[in-house]
PDB file of all heavy atoms in Angstrom:
ATOM      1  N   VAL Z 505     128.978  11.332 -84.606  1.00 86.00           N
ATOM      2  CA  VAL Z 505     128.311  12.613 -84.881  1.00 86.00           C
ATOM      3  C   VAL Z 505     126.971  12.372 -85.580  1.00 86.00           C
ATOM      4  O   VAL Z 505     125.974  13.042 -85.290  1.00 86.00           O
ATOM      5  CB  VAL Z 505     129.216  13.523 -85.744  1.00 86.00           C
ATOM      6  CG1 VAL Z 505     128.462  14.765 -86.200  1.00 86.00           C
ATOM      7  CG2 VAL Z 505     130.456  13.930 -84.956  1.00 86.00           C
ATOM      8  N   LEU Z 506     126.940  11.389 -86.477  1.00 80.00           N
ATOM      9  CA  LEU Z 506     125.688  11.047 -87.162  1.00 80.00           C
ATOM     10  C   LEU Z 506     124.647  10.554 -86.162  1.00 80.00           C
ATOM     11  O   LEU Z 506     123.474  10.923 -86.234  1.00 80.00           O
ATOM     12  CB  LEU Z 506     125.949   9.977 -88.224  1.00 80.00           C
ATOM     13  CG  LEU Z 506     124.743   9.540 -89.066  1.00 80.00           C
ATOM     14  CD1 LEU Z 506     124.195  10.702 -89.876  1.00 80.00           C
ATOM     15  CD2 LEU Z 506     125.131   8.385 -89.987  1.00 80.00           C
ATOM     16  N   GLY Z 507     125.099   9.731 -85.210  1.00 74.00           N
ATOM     17  CA  GLY Z 507     124.193   9.246 -84.173  1.00 74.00           C
ATOM     18  C   GLY Z 507     123.635  10.379 -83.328  1.00 74.00           C
ATOM     19  O   GLY Z 507     122.431  10.426 -83.040  1.00 74.00           O
ATOM     20  N   LEU Z 508     124.505  11.308 -82.945  1.00 81.00           N
ATOM     21  CA  LEU Z 508     124.055  12.459 -82.160  1.00 81.00           C
ATOM     22  C   LEU Z 508     123.086  13.319 -82.963  1.00 81.00           C
ATOM     23  O   LEU Z 508     122.087  13.816 -82.431  1.00 81.00           O
ATOM     24  CB  LEU Z 508     125.258  13.301 -81.724  1.00 81.00           C
ATOM     25  CG  LEU Z 508     126.243  12.643 -80.746  1.00 81.00           C
ATOM     26  CD1 LEU Z 508     127.425  13.551 -80.495  1.00 81.00           C
ATOM     27  CD2 LEU Z 508     125.555  12.309 -79.432  1.00 81.00           C
ATOM     28  N   SER Z 509     123.370  13.497 -84.252  1.00 82.00           N
ATOM     29  CA  SER Z 509     122.501  14.317 -85.103  1.00 82.00           C
ATOM     30  C   SER Z 509     121.133  13.667 -85.290  1.00 82.00           C
ATOM     31  O   SER Z 509     120.097  14.345 -85.248  1.00 82.00           O
ATOM     32  CB  SER Z 509     123.159  14.551 -86.463  1.00 82.00           C
ATOM     33  OG  SER Z 509     124.435  15.144 -86.318  1.00 82.00           O
ATOM     34  N   CYS Z 510     121.136  12.342 -85.497  1.00 72.00           N
ATOM     35  CA  CYS Z 510     119.868  11.625 -85.679  1.00 72.00           C
ATOM     36  C   CYS Z 510     118.980  11.749 -84.446  1.00 72.00           C
ATOM     37  O   CYS Z 510     117.752  11.843 -84.557  1.00 72.00           O
ATOM     38  CB  CYS Z 510     120.124  10.144 -85.974  1.00 72.00           C
ATOM     39  SG  CYS Z 510     120.691   9.816 -87.648  1.00 72.00           S
ATOM     40  N   SER Z 511     119.597  11.762 -83.264  1.00 71.00           N
ATOM     41  CA  SER Z 511     118.807  11.846 -82.034  1.00 71.00           C
ATOM     42  C   SER Z 511     118.021  13.146 -81.972  1.00 71.00           C
ATOM     43  O   SER Z 511     116.969  13.214 -81.339  1.00 71.00           O
ATOM     44  CB  SER Z 511     119.722  11.730 -80.815  1.00 71.00           C
ATOM     45  OG  SER Z 511     120.540  12.876 -80.675  1.00 71.00           O
ATOM     46  N   ILE Z 512     118.521  14.192 -82.620  1.00 79.00           N
ATOM     47  CA  ILE Z 512     117.816  15.483 -82.649  1.00 79.00           C
ATOM     48  C   ILE Z 512     116.714  15.464 -83.701  1.00 79.00           C
ATOM     49  O   ILE Z 512     115.563  15.815 -83.435  1.00 79.00           O
ATOM     50  CB  ILE Z 512     118.798  16.641 -82.930  1.00 79.00           C
ATOM     51  CG1 ILE Z 512     119.828  16.726 -81.805  1.00 79.00           C
ATOM     52  CG2 ILE Z 512     118.051  17.957 -83.085  1.00 79.00           C
ATOM     53  CD1 ILE Z 512     120.935  17.704 -82.068  1.00 79.00           C
ATOM     54  N   PHE Z 513     117.064  15.033 -84.910  1.00 72.00           N
ATOM     55  CA  PHE Z 513     116.111  15.101 -86.018  1.00 72.00           C
ATOM     56  C   PHE Z 513     114.965  14.113 -85.857  1.00 72.00           C
ATOM     57  O   PHE Z 513     113.864  14.349 -86.367  1.00 72.00           O
ATOM     58  CB  PHE Z 513     116.834  14.853 -87.350  1.00 72.00           C
ATOM     59  CG  PHE Z 513     117.633  16.030 -87.813  1.00 72.00           C
ATOM     60  CD1 PHE Z 513     118.977  16.151 -87.485  1.00 72.00           C
ATOM     61  CD2 PHE Z 513     117.049  17.042 -88.556  1.00 72.00           C
ATOM     62  CE1 PHE Z 513     119.727  17.240 -87.903  1.00 72.00           C
ATOM     63  CE2 PHE Z 513     117.788  18.141 -88.975  1.00 72.00           C
ATOM     64  CZ  PHE Z 513     119.123  18.247 -88.647  1.00 72.00           C
ATOM     65  N   ILE Z 514     115.196  13.011 -85.154  1.00 61.00           N
ATOM     66  CA  ILE Z 514     114.143  12.007 -84.981  1.00 61.00           C
ATOM     67  C   ILE Z 514     113.255  12.332 -83.790  1.00 61.00           C
ATOM     68  O   ILE Z 514     112.129  11.854 -83.697  1.00 61.00           O
ATOM     69  CB  ILE Z 514     114.776  10.603 -84.825  1.00 61.00           C
ATOM     70  CG1 ILE Z 514     115.448  10.186 -86.139  1.00 61.00           C
ATOM     71  CG2 ILE Z 514     113.750   9.564 -84.454  1.00 61.00           C
ATOM     72  CD1 ILE Z 514     116.203   8.907 -86.057  1.00 61.00           C
ATOM     73  N   SER Z 515     113.736  13.160 -82.864  1.00 67.00           N
ATOM     74  CA  SER Z 515     112.976  13.472 -81.660  1.00 67.00           C
ATOM     75  C   SER Z 515     111.642  14.122 -82.016  1.00 67.00           C
ATOM     76  O   SER Z 515     111.547  14.932 -82.939  1.00 67.00           O
ATOM     77  CB  SER Z 515     113.764  14.422 -80.753  1.00 67.00           C
ATOM     78  OG  SER Z 515     114.903  13.782 -80.240  1.00 67.00           O
ATOM     79  N   ILE Z 516     110.623  13.736 -81.238  1.00 64.00           N
ATOM     80  CA  ILE Z 516     109.297  14.327 -81.414  1.00 64.00           C
ATOM     81  C   ILE Z 516     109.234  15.618 -80.601  1.00 64.00           C
ATOM     82  O   ILE Z 516     109.644  15.655 -79.447  1.00 64.00           O
ATOM     83  CB  ILE Z 516     108.206  13.347 -80.950  1.00 64.00           C
ATOM     84  CG1 ILE Z 516     108.245  12.076 -81.810  1.00 64.00           C
ATOM     85  CG2 ILE Z 516     106.828  13.982 -81.012  1.00 64.00           C
ATOM     86  CD1 ILE Z 516     107.323  10.988 -81.333  1.00 64.00           C
ATOM     87  N   GLY Z 517     108.724  16.686 -81.211  1.00 75.00           N
ATOM     88  CA  GLY Z 517     108.617  17.962 -80.501  1.00 75.00           C
ATOM     89  C   GLY Z 517     109.674  18.946 -80.954  1.00 75.00           C
ATOM     90  O   GLY Z 517     110.188  18.862 -82.076  1.00 75.00           O
ATOM     91  N   SER Z 518     110.027  19.858 -80.079  1.00 83.00           N
ATOM     92  CA  SER Z 518     110.957  20.935 -80.408  1.00 83.00           C
ATOM     93  C   SER Z 518     112.369  20.408 -80.655  1.00 83.00           C
ATOM     94  O   SER Z 518     112.941  19.712 -79.803  1.00 83.00           O
ATOM     95  CB  SER Z 518     110.984  21.962 -79.266  1.00 83.00           C
ATOM     96  OG  SER Z 518     112.023  22.893 -79.456  1.00 83.00           O
TER      97      SER Z 518
END
Side-chain angles (χ1 to χ4, degrees):
V505 172
L506 182 62
L508 294 176
S509 304
C510 284
S511 69
I512 298 172
F513 284 93
I514 293 174
S515 293
I516 298 173
S518 171

